[in-house]
Amino acid sequence: MNRDMERYKEFTRRAFIVGLAQTALFGTLAARLGYLQLVEKEKFQTLSDRNRISLRLIPAGRGEIMDRFGVPLAINSQNFRAFLVPEQADDVNATLDKLSKVIPVTDFDRQEVLAEIKKHRQFTPILVKENLTWDDMARAELNLPELPGVSMDEGEVRSYPFGDATAHIIGYVGRVSESEMTNDPIMMIPGFRIGKSGVEKKFDETLRGVAGQVQAEVNVVGREIRELNHTDAKKGHRLTLTLDADLQMQCQEMLKVEKSAAAIAMDAHTGEVYALCSHPSFDPNVFSRGIPADLWEELLADDTHPLTNKAVAGQYPPGSTFKMVTALAILEAGISPGASVFCPGYYMLGKQKFHCWKPAGHGTVNVNGALCMSCDTYFYEMGKRIGVDAIARMARRLGLGSKLDFDVPGEGAGLIPDRAWKMKRYKQPWHQGETLNSAIGQGHTLTTPLQLATMTARLVNGGKLVKPVLVRSIEEEGNQIPDWQDGKFNQEHLKIVMRGMSSVVNEQRGTAYGARITEAPYSMGGKTGTAQVRRITAAQRAAGVKNEDLPWKFRHHALFVGYGPVDAPKYVTAVIVEHGVGGAKAAAPIARDILTAMQKRDPRRIHTVDDAVEAAARQQQEKK
Amino acid sequence: MRATDNMSIAEKLMAVSWPFLLLVTAVASVGFMSLYSAAGGSWEPWAGKQLVRFLVGMAGLLVVGLIDIRVWMRLAYPIFAIVCLLLIYVDIKGHIGMGAQRWINMGFIQLQPSEIMKVATVLALARFFHGATAEDVRNPLFLAAPLGLVAVPILLVVIQPDLGTALMIVFATAAMFFIAGVSYWVFAAAGAGCLAIMPVAWHFLHDYQKKRVLTFLDPESDPLGAGYHITQSKIALGSGGITGKGFLQGTQSKLNFLPEKQTDFIFTLFTEEWGFIGGLGLMGLFAMIIVYGYIMALNIQNQFGRLLAMGIITNFSFYIFINIGMVMGLLPVVGVPLALISYGGTAMLSVLFGFGLLMSAHVHRDVKFTRRGLNIA
């Protein structure tokens, strides 16, 4: 008995200790539970949601690009695609066999598909083939019961109805590269294509739209159970360009007679670009669908540079097309329009001899005659008198020497040299001989065709500081064409220069008389230019070697800037034919054709899409 | 209650602690509810079967409880021996499920001898210490016999391998020793010894067991592999908040992010749906069962009964602490189910059998007997 009492006492003691221990343990558990559920609740709630909620992006349609009349230049066309879901196809290879009887499936395609299947879960659809024709699609759809796991789908692919004619302006789209990645979630969508060149690139953010989102609940293997939330995708804005598609086509055709050329057709007052062509060009549709490597290599190696937009990026010495700048600078400096210079075919600067293009010389010429016959000697003498800095200043006022913020990327800046520039660049002082070269648009001077057209526009529109514009309006943002400032040029001087330009074409002694417009009532004025690519040595000159005898790439470039009609100018153009030898021979005829076409079509008078819409809206209002 | 040699069935039934059984049923019901939710709102495939097992188990509990405690004392060693034999059988020729030999397929039930071993150990040790005096117990050499006895099943379980259950048998043994009055020094020495042996023991662990311990110490190191269970469990638990996501609304469990939700991680499922309030409530129910068991144990007049009762209740509490501690990331994943709630036949029956013994000890609490099990007045 006693022993039992002892044991009982010990027992109760021990039981008590165990009880305490258990209470402590319970307390710990309760505290831990509280910690997880009360203190760290937010964190776990987030993790729990992150587990089960997945975000799927909805692609947004890309905005179209239209010309001024609503003619589509870049659209989204149907991209018929075939998909395969591996877990629904009992035997993937057998299904692919059957599928290849209906649509074209190459061995390469097969390999790609099998490789992709390994990388994804069995219920993910794998792309087998895209850009199928309507017939392929229809055939596949008909045979679907025999093709388990195969599904057809319609996606969007960017398409350019005018092909190579608009390639340099519109550009093309392609897959996003590493360096182009941003935080925009739309880039995560596999089918997304980003603008790579031209307007597609410059206005990519406007065109691409905003991706939509689906929030879905998923289980542990990622299968969607239900949709929680839905935000629609927003289509990109539509762009209306100043371009006239018809004119663009015509211009591109005109350039095709040459090996390598570029041209611009622009409005003298508003700066609207009606056509901008660079030849040779490329087919952007091939790029949108994925260009084969060998074609790409070919394009890169071609020495006529089909991928470069020469109208905008090509930098050439302007040659004699620059003489209006010098002429205006001369008049501005106070030299009388009647002041004349005698041209014996050359000019002596100290002991150095500078040649005029006409070895026999032009005789006595004033500014009008000098422009008309493109006499170098006149400009050598007058240019020397006013100095290169004055010429450079005038050049800049007329839009040369810097980028024009054009709506197509890749603009060349050109170069207008002056004393300060030479010192900075070469750490050497300016020589007067270089002034002579600058006066006739040679030497260091470089311009792009775009700049030359702008210069011409400013000369003929009364001196407004117009700039070339390509985008007429952006959907929802309205009209994009600004009002241009007055350049405060002397109107008399401008008139004198214009008279000079008119005589180049319309007077018999003018260098471009042979290219004048004979079709009434159209008319044009302008200026020829020949840009030296390589100096003719004295020996060659003595031997009578002519430029056109040299190999192609050593021949001079041919330039022409023009405007029309002569009395009240509306349109301007700039044309360059690479290695065309003579401006009058090669470039002027093309410019004549362009100016004739522009005056015939009169794109500035024909209503644009927006005008038509506005007019209709006004009519509605008036009815009410 | 008057101490009599033999009570009638009716008297025994009156002596049964019905409140205790009510608590047990309440906890089991939480289990049915949770299994219903785990199956996505259906009695199949778990809740229904569990209910049947529970009812069978409860019937067995009453039968066991009404059997005289002295019978159990006489059967203690035989039962122990039989279960050891079953363990040997399993080790030699077991059904390979889940990468370990643990079950015997008996057709209508998968029998897991290691689960029953926990109760059998308690039973055997209670019997042993009932015959020991207070001095005996203070003598460390005296302990060689029971240690040797218990070493057998422990080793048999360890080589299955089932570290979790082996540990539980060790804990049950330690608890029995402690309650029986073994001196504190022995425990201190044993503790020191364990610490010393740990580096050696580590070496003997299987790779996956090592991984479990390492992952426990740093679950983030392998969140998709070994750490997945714990990470998911904590996420599900934590996101339950104060009131939970609602019955049948546990997203982690429903969407299958939570693994083993009907077995090891059922507590997580429950608290994801019922929140802190639910979790605390359930733990409260468990606590009440344990407290009741305590009170019952303290009122028993014989050593065997006392030891048996405390052993059973302490063993039960180990299930709770280890399982809940595990799902909350306080302990490594050792595969111990939550008693009465986790889906599993053997665990349920084993626990209810234990409670039956507890009930027997309680019903026959006024019976006094000598060390030899004879009745003396």
Side-chain angles (χ1 to χ4, degrees), chain A residues 154-182:
Chain A
E154 190 182 313
E156 271 191 358
V157 76
R158 198 68 158 168
S159 172
Y160 305 103
F162 287 87
D164 64 350
T166 50
H168 284 116
I169 302 185
I170 308 288
Y172 60 94
V173 293
R175 278 186 233 257
V176 184
S177 69
E178 283 282 338
S179 52
E180 289 165 330
M181 272 298 222
T182 65

PDB file of all heavy atoms in Angstrom, chain A residues 154-182:
ATOM      1  N   GLU A 154      -6.719  31.523 -87.232  1.00  0.00           N
ATOM      2  CA  GLU A 154      -6.452  32.659 -88.116  1.00  0.00           C
ATOM      3  C   GLU A 154      -5.748  33.747 -87.331  1.00  0.00           C
ATOM      4  O   GLU A 154      -6.311  34.299 -86.386  1.00  0.00           O
ATOM      5  CB  GLU A 154      -7.792  33.189 -88.628  1.00  0.00           C
ATOM      6  CG  GLU A 154      -7.659  34.199 -89.735  1.00  0.00           C
ATOM      7  CD  GLU A 154      -9.020  34.705 -90.162  1.00  0.00           C
ATOM      8  OE1 GLU A 154      -9.901  33.835 -90.354  1.00  0.00           O
ATOM      9  OE2 GLU A 154      -9.199  35.914 -90.270  1.00  0.00           O
ATOM     10  N   GLY A 155      -4.503  34.011 -87.707  1.00  0.00           N
ATOM     11  CA  GLY A 155      -3.785  35.084 -87.019  1.00  0.00           C
ATOM     12  C   GLY A 155      -3.652  36.272 -87.956  1.00  0.00           C
ATOM     13  O   GLY A 155      -4.269  36.334 -89.012  1.00  0.00           O
ATOM     14  N   GLU A 156      -2.834  37.217 -87.574  1.00  0.00           N
ATOM     15  CA  GLU A 156      -2.645  38.416 -88.393  1.00  0.00           C
ATOM     16  C   GLU A 156      -1.220  38.480 -88.885  1.00  0.00           C
ATOM     17  O   GLU A 156      -0.292  38.230 -88.110  1.00  0.00           O
ATOM     18  CB  GLU A 156      -2.910  39.658 -87.544  1.00  0.00           C
ATOM     19  CG  GLU A 156      -4.343  40.093 -87.558  1.00  0.00           C
ATOM     20  CD  GLU A 156      -4.518  41.457 -86.925  1.00  0.00           C
ATOM     21  OE1 GLU A 156      -3.540  42.037 -86.443  1.00  0.00           O
ATOM     22  OE2 GLU A 156      -5.654  41.919 -86.921  1.00  0.00           O
ATOM     23  N   VAL A 157      -1.035  38.826 -90.145  1.00  0.00           N
ATOM     24  CA  VAL A 157       0.324  39.076 -90.617  1.00  0.00           C
ATOM     25  C   VAL A 157       0.308  40.418 -91.359  1.00  0.00           C
ATOM     26  O   VAL A 157      -0.675  40.767 -92.014  1.00  0.00           O
ATOM     27  CB  VAL A 157       0.814  37.923 -91.528  1.00  0.00           C
ATOM     28  CG1 VAL A 157       0.186  37.995 -92.900  1.00  0.00           C
ATOM     29  CG2 VAL A 157       2.319  37.952 -91.635  1.00  0.00           C
ATOM     30  N   ARG A 158       1.355  41.173 -91.227  1.00  0.00           N
ATOM     31  CA  ARG A 158       1.433  42.495 -91.830  1.00  0.00           C
ATOM     32  C   ARG A 158       1.678  42.358 -93.322  1.00  0.00           C
ATOM     33  O   ARG A 158       2.523  41.579 -93.749  1.00  0.00           O
ATOM     34  CB  ARG A 158       2.603  43.265 -91.185  1.00  0.00           C
ATOM     35  CG  ARG A 158       2.550  44.746 -91.383  1.00  0.00           C
ATOM     36  CD  ARG A 158       1.427  45.377 -90.657  1.00  0.00           C
ATOM     37  NE  ARG A 158       1.644  46.800 -90.417  1.00  0.00           N
ATOM     38  CZ  ARG A 158       0.711  47.634 -90.002  1.00  0.00           C
ATOM     39  NH1 ARG A 158      -0.504  47.189 -89.771  1.00  0.00           N
ATOM     40  NH2 ARG A 158       0.989  48.890 -89.802  1.00  0.00           N
ATOM     41  N   SER A 159       0.946  43.126 -94.092  1.00  0.00           N
ATOM     42  CA  SER A 159       1.025  42.959 -95.540  1.00  0.00           C
ATOM     43  C   SER A 159       1.105  44.330 -96.206  1.00  0.00           C
ATOM     44  O   SER A 159       0.456  45.286 -95.773  1.00  0.00           O
ATOM     45  CB  SER A 159      -0.218  42.186 -95.979  1.00  0.00           C
ATOM     46  OG  SER A 159      -0.308  42.148 -97.358  1.00  0.00           O
ATOM     47  N   TYR A 160       1.896  44.431 -97.262  1.00  0.00           N
ATOM     48  CA  TYR A 160       2.125  45.713 -97.938  1.00  0.00           C
ATOM     49  C   TYR A 160       1.693  45.599 -99.387  1.00  0.00           C
ATOM     50  O   TYR A 160       2.418  45.056-100.221  1.00  0.00           O
ATOM     51  CB  TYR A 160       3.613  46.087 -97.841  1.00  0.00           C
ATOM     52  CG  TYR A 160       4.107  46.099 -96.417  1.00  0.00           C
ATOM     53  CD1 TYR A 160       4.864  45.050 -95.919  1.00  0.00           C
ATOM     54  CD2 TYR A 160       3.769  47.144 -95.549  1.00  0.00           C
ATOM     55  CE1 TYR A 160       5.282  45.045 -94.601  1.00  0.00           C
ATOM     56  CE2 TYR A 160       4.186  47.139 -94.237  1.00  0.00           C
ATOM     57  CZ  TYR A 160       4.942  46.089 -93.763  1.00  0.00           C
ATOM     58  OH  TYR A 160       5.348  46.072 -92.465  1.00  0.00           O
ATOM     59  N   PRO A 161       0.492  46.128 -99.705  1.00  0.00           N
ATOM     60  CA  PRO A 161      -0.057  45.957-101.056  1.00  0.00           C
ATOM     61  C   PRO A 161       0.840  46.545-102.157  1.00  0.00           C
ATOM     62  O   PRO A 161       0.831  46.071-103.276  1.00  0.00           O
ATOM     63  CB  PRO A 161      -1.386  46.713-101.001  1.00  0.00           C
ATOM     64  CG  PRO A 161      -1.705  46.854 -99.565  1.00  0.00           C
ATOM     65  CD  PRO A 161      -0.419  46.866 -98.824  1.00  0.00           C
ATOM     66  N   PHE A 162       1.618  47.582-101.844  1.00  0.00           N
ATOM     67  CA  PHE A 162       2.416  48.220-102.879  1.00  0.00           C
ATOM     68  C   PHE A 162       3.845  47.691-102.938  1.00  0.00           C
ATOM     69  O   PHE A 162       4.654  48.189-103.711  1.00  0.00           O
ATOM     70  CB  PHE A 162       2.409  49.742-102.694  1.00  0.00           C
ATOM     71  CG  PHE A 162       1.098  50.364-103.066  1.00  0.00           C
ATOM     72  CD1 PHE A 162       0.085  50.454-102.129  1.00  0.00           C
ATOM     73  CD2 PHE A 162       0.866  50.809-104.344  1.00  0.00           C
ATOM     74  CE1 PHE A 162      -1.146  51.000-102.466  1.00  0.00           C
ATOM     75  CE2 PHE A 162      -0.356  51.365-104.694  1.00  0.00           C
ATOM     76  CZ  PHE A 162      -1.367  51.453-103.756  1.00  0.00           C
ATOM     77  N   GLY A 163       4.126  46.723-102.094  1.00  0.00           N
ATOM     78  CA  GLY A 163       5.404  46.025-102.196  1.00  0.00           C
ATOM     79  C   GLY A 163       6.605  46.945-102.194  1.00  0.00           C
ATOM     80  O   GLY A 163       6.741  47.803-101.333  1.00  0.00           O
ATOM     81  N   ASP A 164       7.460  46.828-103.195  1.00  0.00           N
ATOM     82  CA  ASP A 164       8.721  47.560-103.154  1.00  0.00           C
ATOM     83  C   ASP A 164       8.549  49.057-103.378  1.00  0.00           C
ATOM     84  O   ASP A 164       9.447  49.832-103.059  1.00  0.00           O
ATOM     85  CB  ASP A 164       9.724  46.961-104.147  1.00  0.00           C
ATOM     86  CG  ASP A 164       9.270  47.092-105.590  1.00  0.00           C
ATOM     87  OD1 ASP A 164       8.099  47.477-105.822  1.00  0.00           O
ATOM     88  OD2 ASP A 164      10.076  46.803-106.488  1.00  0.00           O
ATOM     89  N   ALA A 165       7.425  49.475-103.941  1.00  0.00           N
ATOM     90  CA  ALA A 165       7.248  50.905-104.188  1.00  0.00           C
ATOM     91  C   ALA A 165       7.252  51.708-102.895  1.00  0.00           C
ATOM     92  O   ALA A 165       7.754  52.815-102.835  1.00  0.00           O
ATOM     93  CB  ALA A 165       5.951  51.158-104.948  1.00  0.00           C
ATOM     94  N   THR A 166       6.669  51.147-101.833  1.00  0.00           N
ATOM     95  CA  THR A 166       6.578  51.904-100.581  1.00  0.00           C
ATOM     96  C   THR A 166       7.525  51.379 -99.511  1.00  0.00           C
ATOM     97  O   THR A 166       7.528  51.849 -98.389  1.00  0.00           O
ATOM     98  CB  THR A 166       5.145  51.838-100.022  1.00  0.00           C
ATOM     99  OG1 THR A 166       4.729  50.473-100.006  1.00  0.00           O
ATOM    100  CG2 THR A 166       4.199  52.658-100.861  1.00  0.00           C
ATOM    101  N   ALA A 167       8.356  50.382 -99.891  1.00  0.00           N
ATOM    102  CA  ALA A 167       9.177  49.709 -98.876  1.00  0.00           C
ATOM    103  C   ALA A 167      10.026  50.670 -98.054  1.00  0.00           C
ATOM    104  O   ALA A 167      10.134  50.530 -96.835  1.00  0.00           O
ATOM    105  CB  ALA A 167      10.064  48.675 -99.536  1.00  0.00           C
ATOM    106  N   HIS A 168      10.638  51.629 -98.725  1.00  0.00           N
ATOM    107  CA  HIS A 168      11.551  52.492 -97.982  1.00  0.00           C
ATOM    108  C   HIS A 168      10.829  53.447 -97.060  1.00  0.00           C
ATOM    109  O   HIS A 168      11.390  53.910 -96.076  1.00  0.00           O
ATOM    110  CB  HIS A 168      12.433  53.294 -98.946  1.00  0.00           C
ATOM    111  CG  HIS A 168      13.523  52.467 -99.534  1.00  0.00           C
ATOM    112  ND1 HIS A 168      13.609  52.192-100.860  1.00  0.00           N
ATOM    113  CD2 HIS A 168      14.549  51.825 -98.934  1.00  0.00           C
ATOM    114  CE1 HIS A 168      14.670  51.421-101.064  1.00  0.00           C
ATOM    115  NE2 HIS A 168      15.262  51.181 -99.912  1.00  0.00           N
ATOM    116  N   ILE A 169       9.602  53.767 -97.369  1.00  0.00           N
ATOM    117  CA  ILE A 169       8.868  54.698 -96.513  1.00  0.00           C
ATOM    118  C   ILE A 169       8.207  53.946 -95.370  1.00  0.00           C
ATOM    119  O   ILE A 169       8.361  54.263 -94.214  1.00  0.00           O
ATOM    120  CB  ILE A 169       7.769  55.432 -97.300  1.00  0.00           C
ATOM    121  CG1 ILE A 169       8.387  56.176 -98.449  1.00  0.00           C
ATOM    122  CG2 ILE A 169       6.993  56.329 -96.374  1.00  0.00           C
ATOM    123  CD1 ILE A 169       7.411  57.009 -99.200  1.00  0.00           C
ATOM    124  N   ILE A 170       7.444  52.927 -95.748  1.00  0.00           N
ATOM    125  CA  ILE A 170       6.686  52.212 -94.719  1.00  0.00           C
ATOM    126  C   ILE A 170       7.618  51.362 -93.868  1.00  0.00           C
ATOM    127  O   ILE A 170       7.465  51.270 -92.660  1.00  0.00           O
ATOM    128  CB  ILE A 170       5.614  51.309 -95.361  1.00  0.00           C
ATOM    129  CG1 ILE A 170       4.766  52.104 -96.330  1.00  0.00           C
ATOM    130  CG2 ILE A 170       4.771  50.643 -94.309  1.00  0.00           C
ATOM    131  CD1 ILE A 170       3.834  53.071 -95.675  1.00  0.00           C
ATOM    132  N   GLY A 171       8.578  50.709 -94.505  1.00  0.00           N
ATOM    133  CA  GLY A 171       9.456  49.822 -93.757  1.00  0.00           C
ATOM    134  C   GLY A 171       8.821  48.447 -93.653  1.00  0.00           C
ATOM    135  O   GLY A 171       7.979  48.068 -94.461  1.00  0.00           O
ATOM    136  N   TYR A 172       9.234  47.680 -92.632  1.00  0.00           N
ATOM    137  CA  TYR A 172       8.649  46.366 -92.432  1.00  0.00           C
ATOM    138  C   TYR A 172       8.694  46.027 -90.944  1.00  0.00           C
ATOM    139  O   TYR A 172       9.275  46.762 -90.154  1.00  0.00           O
ATOM    140  CB  TYR A 172       9.416  45.312 -93.248  1.00  0.00           C
ATOM    141  CG  TYR A 172      10.867  45.199 -92.888  1.00  0.00           C
ATOM    142  CD1 TYR A 172      11.308  44.260 -91.948  1.00  0.00           C
ATOM    143  CD2 TYR A 172      11.820  46.029 -93.476  1.00  0.00           C
ATOM    144  CE1 TYR A 172      12.639  44.164 -91.611  1.00  0.00           C
ATOM    145  CE2 TYR A 172      13.148  45.930 -93.138  1.00  0.00           C
ATOM    146  CZ  TYR A 172      13.558  45.001 -92.209  1.00  0.00           C
ATOM    147  OH  TYR A 172      14.892  44.916 -91.863  1.00  0.00           O
ATOM    148  N   VAL A 173       8.065  44.921 -90.593  1.00  0.00           N
ATOM    149  CA  VAL A 173       8.048  44.490 -89.185  1.00  0.00           C
ATOM    150  C   VAL A 173       8.717  43.137 -89.052  1.00  0.00           C
ATOM    151  O   VAL A 173       8.781  42.373 -90.012  1.00  0.00           O
ATOM    152  CB  VAL A 173       6.598  44.377 -88.642  1.00  0.00           C
ATOM    153  CG1 VAL A 173       5.948  45.736 -88.558  1.00  0.00           C
ATOM    154  CG2 VAL A 173       5.784  43.427 -89.478  1.00  0.00           C
ATOM    155  N   GLY A 174       9.192  42.850 -87.878  1.00  0.00           N
ATOM    156  CA  GLY A 174       9.845  41.565 -87.642  1.00  0.00           C
ATOM    157  C   GLY A 174       9.797  41.225 -86.156  1.00  0.00           C
ATOM    158  O   GLY A 174       9.266  41.985 -85.345  1.00  0.00           O
ATOM    159  N   ARG A 175      10.363  40.082 -85.833  1.00  0.00           N
ATOM    160  CA  ARG A 175      10.372  39.673 -84.426  1.00  0.00           C
ATOM    161  C   ARG A 175      11.214  40.617 -83.585  1.00  0.00           C
ATOM    162  O   ARG A 175      12.182  41.201 -84.072  1.00  0.00           O
ATOM    163  CB  ARG A 175      10.977  38.275 -84.305  1.00  0.00           C
ATOM    164  CG  ARG A 175       9.989  37.195 -84.600  1.00  0.00           C
ATOM    165  CD  ARG A 175      10.633  35.842 -84.306  1.00  0.00           C
ATOM    166  NE  ARG A 175      10.503  34.977 -85.448  1.00  0.00           N
ATOM    167  CZ  ARG A 175       9.622  33.993 -85.527  1.00  0.00           C
ATOM    168  NH1 ARG A 175       8.797  33.771 -84.538  1.00  0.00           N
ATOM    169  NH2 ARG A 175       9.555  33.238 -86.598  1.00  0.00           N
ATOM    170  N   VAL A 176      10.853  40.710 -82.307  1.00  0.00           N
ATOM    171  CA  VAL A 176      11.563  41.604 -81.399  1.00  0.00           C
ATOM    172  C   VAL A 176      12.934  41.017 -81.073  1.00  0.00           C
ATOM    173  O   VAL A 176      13.041  39.852 -80.746  1.00  0.00           O
ATOM    174  CB  VAL A 176      10.771  41.784 -80.090  1.00  0.00           C
ATOM    175  CG1 VAL A 176      11.454  42.793 -79.196  1.00  0.00           C
ATOM    176  CG2 VAL A 176       9.363  42.216 -80.393  1.00  0.00           C
ATOM    177  N   SER A 177      13.962  41.855 -81.160  1.00  0.00           N
ATOM    178  CA  SER A 177      15.302  41.385 -80.792  1.00  0.00           C
ATOM    179  C   SER A 177      15.611  41.816 -79.366  1.00  0.00           C
ATOM    180  O   SER A 177      14.898  42.627 -78.777  1.00  0.00           O
ATOM    181  CB  SER A 177      16.346  41.987 -81.739  1.00  0.00           C
ATOM    182  OG  SER A 177      16.442  43.368 -81.492  1.00  0.00           O
ATOM    183  N   GLU A 178      16.656  41.244 -78.793  1.00  0.00           N
ATOM    184  CA  GLU A 178      17.057  41.539 -77.412  1.00  0.00           C
ATOM    185  C   GLU A 178      17.119  43.028 -77.142  1.00  0.00           C
ATOM    186  O   GLU A 178      16.580  43.537 -76.161  1.00  0.00           O
ATOM    187  CB  GLU A 178      18.447  40.961 -77.142  1.00  0.00           C
ATOM    188  CG  GLU A 178      18.490  39.474 -76.923  1.00  0.00           C
ATOM    189  CD  GLU A 178      18.039  39.084 -75.530  1.00  0.00           C
ATOM    190  OE1 GLU A 178      18.088  39.937 -74.614  1.00  0.00           O
ATOM    191  OE2 GLU A 178      17.611  37.932 -75.366  1.00  0.00           O
ATOM    192  N   SER A 179      17.803  43.746 -78.058  1.00  0.00           N
ATOM    193  CA  SER A 179      18.049  45.163 -77.802  1.00  0.00           C
ATOM    194  C   SER A 179      16.775  45.988 -77.901  1.00  0.00           C
ATOM    195  O   SER A 179      16.718  47.109 -77.410  1.00  0.00           O
ATOM    196  CB  SER A 179      19.083  45.690 -78.800  1.00  0.00           C
ATOM    197  OG  SER A 179      18.665  45.347 -80.114  1.00  0.00           O
ATOM    198  N   GLU A 180      15.737  45.441 -78.520  1.00  0.00           N
ATOM    199  CA  GLU A 180      14.518  46.221 -78.691  1.00  0.00           C
ATOM    200  C   GLU A 180      13.522  45.996 -77.563  1.00  0.00           C
ATOM    201  O   GLU A 180      12.498  46.652 -77.481  1.00  0.00           O
ATOM    202  CB  GLU A 180      13.842  45.851 -80.014  1.00  0.00           C
ATOM    203  CG  GLU A 180      14.605  46.352 -81.224  1.00  0.00           C
ATOM    204  CD  GLU A 180      14.141  45.673 -82.497  1.00  0.00           C
ATOM    205  OE1 GLU A 180      13.707  44.514 -82.413  1.00  0.00           O
ATOM    206  OE2 GLU A 180      14.221  46.289 -83.561  1.00  0.00           O
ATOM    207  N   MET A 181      13.805  45.040 -76.694  1.00  0.00           N
ATOM    208  CA  MET A 181      12.880  44.703 -75.613  1.00  0.00           C
ATOM    209  C   MET A 181      12.661  45.863 -74.669  1.00  0.00           C
ATOM    210  O   MET A 181      13.618  46.499 -74.235  1.00  0.00           O
ATOM    211  CB  MET A 181      13.476  43.549 -74.796  1.00  0.00           C
ATOM    212  CG  MET A 181      13.105  42.212 -75.329  1.00  0.00           C
ATOM    213  SD  MET A 181      11.359  41.910 -75.296  1.00  0.00           S
ATOM    214  CE  MET A 181      11.338  40.257 -74.730  1.00  0.00           C
ATOM    215  N   THR A 182      11.381  46.099 -74.330  1.00  0.00           N
ATOM    216  CA  THR A 182      11.098  47.055 -73.261  1.00  0.00           C
ATOM    217  C   THR A 182      10.153  46.367 -72.288  1.00  0.00           C
ATOM    218  O   THR A 182       9.897  45.187 -72.406  1.00  0.00           O
ATOM    219  CB  THR A 182      10.378  48.320 -73.791  1.00  0.00           C
ATOM    220  OG1 THR A 182       9.104  47.925 -74.288  1.00  0.00           O
ATOM    221  CG2 THR A 182      11.180  48.999 -74.868  1.00  0.00           C
TER     222      THR A 182
END
